[in-house]
Amino acid sequence: MSNDASEIQKPPGEKEADAIQRFFRRPFFLSFTIGIPFCAFKLLFGLNAVREGTRTGLYLMVLGFIIIVWAMADLLMNIGRSLLDLLHLPAPFEYCTIAQAGRIVHMPMVFLAIDTLLTFSIICAMLWSGWIAHLPAGESYLWYAATTMNLISLSLVSIYNEIHLI
């Protein structure tokens, strides 16, 4: 028997674990569980800003429309990444507009982290401003679905990673 590392067989559980890890890293999974929910958070914040702006002033309304455009662009990018992944084709663009800007300076992951920070800030603003309580029923369910998808997937990945370390 040779000592060549390429001939050493991995235990069956390890091959399966690798497949699970690869699934968690696929653009389809990432878009469906992170990117698209983040787009929903941005979109709902933008809609609320427009509604609030109609009562309080033009500045908030304009900001809301900018955020809606941002959310829709990011949504199209995430859907595109998902579809290309399902077709096993490489994506010529990032998950969101901010990461796409980061691609120009060869730091898309840094800019993706900035997008994540901004989205978490939007979530906090919705909660702390009390706007979350003013969402119409359909928008509330969209918020719940986005939150559920995002948090459950994060938990599944965390559980998997902890079990994989054992």
Side-chain angles (χ1 to χ4, degrees), residues 8 33 51 53-54 60 68 85 97 104 122 142 145 151-152 158-159 161-162:
I8 298 173
T33 63
R51 282 193 285 264
T54 61
L60 198 52
I68 290 169
D85 182 52
T97 53
I104 294 168
I122 283 171
L142 178 58
L151 295 177
I152 295 297
S158 294
I159 289 168
N161 286 337
E162 288 303 316

Side-chain angles (χ1 to χ4, degrees), residues 13-58:
E14 190 171 335
K15 286 182 183 178
E16 182 179 319
D18 291 345
I20 293 170
Q21 189 66 26
R22 282 192 305 273
F23 175 74
F24 286 155
R25 291 182 180 159
R26 283 191 63 181
F28 174 79
F29 179 81
L30 295 171
S31 288
F32 191 70
T33 63
I34 299 169
I36 292 172
F38 276 22
C39 293
F41 298 136
K42 293 170 191 171
L43 178 63
L44 293 171
F45 181 78
L47 290 171
N48 269 326
V50 168
R51 282 193 285 264
E52 187 65 27
T54 61
R55 291 188 293 272
T56 61
L58 186 63

